Amino acid sequence: MSKILLKNGEIGTIDGLMLADVLIEDGKILKVIARVSDEGKAVEADEVIDCRGKVILPGLIDVHVHFREPGASHKEDWKTASSAAVAGGVTTVLDMPNNTPGIVDAASLSAKRELIAGRSFCNYGLYLGFNGSNVEEINASDVPAVKFYACDSTGDMGVVEHEDVEKFFRMCKKLIVVHAEDHDVIEANKALVLAEYEGREIPASVHSKIRPVEAACKAVERVCELALTFGRRVHIAHVSTEKELAIIKKYKLKGAKLTCEVAPHHLMLSEDDYGTLGNFMRVNPPIRSRGDVFAMWKGLKFGEIDLIATDHAPHTIEEKSLDYLHAPSGVPELDTLLPCLLNAVDAEGLTIEEVVRFCCEKPAEIFGLRGKGRIEEGFDADLVVVDMELSREVKRENLFTKCGWSPYEKSVFKGWPVMTFVGGELVFKDGEIVGEAVGQEVQV
């Protein structure tokens, strides 16, 4: 296989930027060649790509996406979603199991793998979902993690019976990823809201009241106690409140094996945005107060949050335009993930080192993804070249997601991917998909 040299760029690592060239061969990083000057060193290569003025990052790893196939390909499919991923700097995703049918056993997992094969531009891993009775099948599988819904979200995979949940935590040998909202709190609040607005239009803003901070905290406390009791590794998805972080910190100090993630929408949006976005910012867990948004940024800075993951959950414009009771929860995020974060770097809210830590190294470490997350010799050549000076408005016509919209439309972000490599193959360049669907299932 030919050798490709990415020359004259700067490499982003958790220790900062370094002047170095990257030599790629056979899908791997063959050498990282430090430069003492802009001239670099003479290196033999079949193709030389000049990255002068650009930054080369490890491809981002998004451990929380909903690509919608099988069962809802009118919203998204593997071709469109994986295109959005590589356009947004993401070279590896882990896809959730709340499909139709749900991915809960060897047969449904095998069928999903057959559906994806040869159609993904990015690398991928798959979750199994806990359905209340399949822990033995989960333990026998080769997936990187299992998803446990403490309540229903999109789909009906919520498991609320205490005996089933306790047995699951007692027996499960996999990393447990939790959607932590309490079913009873949500149902009680929903009944109150429906009574209050009987006969009147229900505003989208009630979503944050139906699924309040209390619902998240009650579920997080319960999950953390189970993690501590049974010694299980637990990763809490999309934390959104300061109180959740305090609970997680408390249990970490007791010895619980806990990690957690935050989604971009819980960093970028607040309850104040309901007036503009309405149901287009409806997500589970919901958007929170400005104070909680600040707490999420602080949690990143102080090491209380381990990684950033999109929870990419597309729905069509028609579906999101329905009234509150019928509009689904979820927003698309993949097209804009890296631009959103690089814009924060430009505004000095994040550093390049933190982007690499939260989106590359920590996801690979927590989920045990071999060969991913670093620009080092022997690692997979999953790379994204970014132009930190490029400013661009988020427009529908430039998005790859099939749902065709973004909560950040009309925002101008500074810092965009200009090339994305998956397994050493160039798949995205200057706003276009240019390569083949070369994505492979991850090894754990």
Side-chain angles (χ1 to χ4, degrees):
M1 194 174 190
S2 62
K3 293 181 180 179
I4 302 172
L5 181 67
L6 304 185
K7 189 175 177 63
N8 297 326
E10 292 183 277
I11 292 176
T13 74
I14 60 168
D15 298 314
L17 292 170
M18 63 178 289
L19 294 172
D21 301 331
V22 183
L23 186 62
I24 301 168
E25 184 180 38
D26 195 23
K28 300 287 185 180
I29 297 172
L30 186 63
K31 289 183 180 179
V32 178
I33 307 142
R35 300 196 313 275
V36 295
S37 71
D38 286 343
E39 297 303 317
K41 298 179 181 179
V43 177
E44 289 187 7
D46 300 289
E47 180 181 1
V48 177
I49 298 176
D50 190 357
C51 298
R52 190 179 304 273
K54 309 296 191 297
V55 176
I56 305 168
L57 301 176
L60 274 59
I61 300 169
D62 190 346
V63 302
H64 191 153
V65 302
H66 301 266
F67 276 16
R68 300 305 190 203
E69 276 195 310
S73 58
H74 68 286
K75 305 174 192 279
E76 191 79 281
D77 60 49
W78 273 84
K79 180 180 179 180
T80 58
S82 63
S83 297
V86 296
V90 177
T91 56
T92 299
V93 299
L94 301 186
D95 189 59
M96 289 296 171
N98 57 334
N99 298 120
T100 305
I103 311 305
V104 296
D105 55 26
S108 56
L109 180 64
S110 178
K112 186 170 180 176
R113 282 172 165 154
E114 290 181 13
L115 178 68
I116 298 167
R119 298 176 58 218
S120 184
F121 289 98
C122 63
N123 300 312
Y124 57 91
L126 305 177
Y127 286 86
L128 278 175
F130 175 57
N131 68 0
S133 60
N134 62 338
V135 65
E136 291 88 356
E137 188 128 26
I138 288 167
N139 286 340
S141 72
D142 59 352
V143 297
V146 57
K147 182 67 178 288
F148 162 55
Y149 289 87
C151 66
D152 285 338
S153 183
T154 298
D156 56 356
M157 294 192 75
V159 180
V160 299
E161 293 298 329
H162 183 76
E163 289 184 2
D164 293 337
V165 174
E166 185 171 302
K167 178 182 177 181
F168 171 59
F169 275 81
R170 184 172 66 250
M171 296 180 61
C172 186
K173 299 176 183 178
K174 299 286 184 182
L175 172 64
I176 301 171
V177 177
V178 183
H179 180 120
E181 291 183 282
D182 185 79
H183 171 82
D184 293 338
V185 171
I186 292 170
E187 290 302 308
N189 280 285
K190 185 176 181 179
L192 290 173
V193 166
L194 291 179
E196 179 183 353
Y197 285 92
E198 186 175 4
R200 295 187 292 147
E201 183 179 353
I202 302 175
S205 58
V206 303
H207 196 61
S208 292
K209 298 177 181 178
I210 290 175
R211 307 176 87 102
V213 174
E214 176 193 0
C217 290
K218 186 174 181 180
V220 167
E221 183 97 37
R222 179 186 180 200
V223 164
C224 289
E225 184 65 37
L226 288 166
L228 180 65
T229 300
F230 296 108
R232 297 303 175 205
R233 287 199 308 133
V234 171
H235 179 79
I236 299 175
H238 41 50
V239 293
S240 59
T241 74
E242 186 173 22
K243 290 183 178 180
E244 287 173 273
L245 294 181
I247 294 167
I248 293 168
K249 182 177 180 180
K250 177 180 71 174
Y251 277 90
K252 279 184 175 180
L253 291 173
K254 291 181 179 181
K257 303 171 186 176
L258 300 168
T259 54
C260 64
E261 71 190 43
V262 66
H265 45 267
H266 288 128
L267 295 168
M268 297 288 289
L269 303 173
S270 78
E271 291 171 340
D272 296 343
D273 295 305
Y274 275 116
T276 303
L277 292 172
N279 288 325
F280 283 85
M281 62 177 259
R282 175 177 168 169
V283 292
N284 300 335
I287 301 302
R288 305 296 189 184
S289 69
R290 287 186 183 183
D292 280 317
V293 172
F294 177 76
M296 296 303 99
W297 285 102
K298 188 172 70 172
L300 288 170
K301 288 293 184 180
F302 284 85
E304 297 171 339
I305 298 173
D306 298 276
L307 59 89
I308 298 170
T310 63
D311 192 9
H312 174 80
H315 299 284
T316 67
I317 293 171
E318 291 74 20
E319 289 168 333
K320 294 295 275 187
S321 298
L322 296 172
D323 64 273
Y324 172 74
L325 289 178
H326 297 95
S329 294
V331 297
E333 293 268 16
L334 278 170
D335 282 277
T336 53
L337 175 58
L338 191 49
C340 174
L341 299 180
L342 295 180
N343 192 69
V345 172
D346 181 70
E348 300 183 348
L350 287 174
T351 65
I352 285 290
E353 296 94 320
E354 289 169 332
V355 171
V356 173
R357 180 183 302 115
F358 297 136
C359 298
C360 307
E361 292 207 6
K362 289 298 288 187
E365 175 189 323
I366 291 169
F367 286 80
L369 307 180
R370 287 186 284 167
K372 305 296 185 188
R374 299 186 181 188
I375 301 179
E376 293 183 8
E377 293 179 13
F379 275 64
D380 295 339
D382 300 332
L383 303 165
V384 55
V385 180
V386 301
D387 184 342
M388 294 296 296
E389 298 302 315
L390 178 60
S391 291
R392 181 181 295 163
E393 181 180 333
V394 179
K395 297 181 179 180
R396 288 186 179 183
E397 56 264 32
N398 295 330
L399 300 174
F400 287 91
T401 177
K402 182 183 281 189
C403 73
W405 63 275
S406 167
Y408 311 121
E409 286 171 42
K410 299 184 180 179
S411 296
V412 176
F413 292 148
K414 185 177 181 181
W416 287 79
V418 293
M419 285 184 279
T420 304
F421 295 82
V422 174
E425 298 287 337
L426 181 64
V427 294
F428 172 82
K429 182 178 181 182
D430 296 332
E432 302 289 341
I433 300 296
V434 297
E436 302 296 322
V438 296
Q440 300 292 318
E441 189 166 1
V442 296
Q443 301 296 310
V444 295

